[in-house]
Structures are given as C-alpha cells and as structure tokens.
Amino acid sequence: QLRGEVTPHIGRHAFAVLAILKGMLLETLQKVFGHKSITYVLRIHSLVRRRRGNLFLEVAHLYDHVLTSFLNS
C-alpha cells in the first residue's frame, strides 16, 4: 500500500530514483530527462543518498518489482 497519491510527477521522480539505484550515470539521467542543468539530477541523487525519498522510493521499488516480474516472465 502506497502512502499518498501517485501522480505522473511522482512517477517521473520515482523513475529517476530507480535509475540512480540501478547505477545509471547522472549525466545519462540528465539527458533522459532533457535537462540543460544537472542540478535536478544532483538533487535526486542527494535524496537517494540520504534515503529520504518517501513516496519516491516506494514507487521506485514498486517499479523495480514490476519490471523484474515482467523481465522474468
């Protein structure tokens, strides 16, 4: 059970969290999101390092579970 409403914005952040947890380079993530500045990516990275993502981390782990199940089917 997720604690909060999952919006497209939450999904976007959750994807970024999962990508960082899986080892995506920050510069690659910056390009995926189309940001000129790496500031956003660094903020997400900082959030992940402190493990304070709350709903972002919950949704990221849900994405990971769904993707793993899909790839293993």
Side-chain angles (χ1 to χ4, degrees):
Q1 180 84 20
L2 295 174
R3 296 173 288 148
E5 180 182 358
V6 178
T7 64
H9 184 74
I10 295 292
R12 182 176 168 91
H13 281 270
F15 174 83
V17 168
L18 182 59
I20 290 169
L21 290 173
K22 294 292 185 177
M24 182 180 281
L25 296 175
L26 299 182
E27 294 81 5
T28 302
L29 190 58
Q30 175 189 0
K31 289 178 184 176
V32 167
F33 279 98
H35 292 288
K36 288 183 181 179
S37 168
I38 200 164
T39 303
Y40 163 79
V41 177
L42 291 174
R43 277 191 7 239
I44 296 295
H45 183 260
S46 173
L47 195 143
V48 170
R49 286 185 54 216
R50 292 190 314 256
R51 298 281 192 219
R52 287 187 39 213
N54 300 332
L55 187 57
F56 298 147
L57 281 172
E58 288 182 47
V59 174
H61 289 298
L62 178 62
Y63 280 177
D64 189 34
H65 176 73
V66 169
L67 287 173
T68 301
S69 296
F70 175 76
L71 292 174
N72 290 329
S73 64

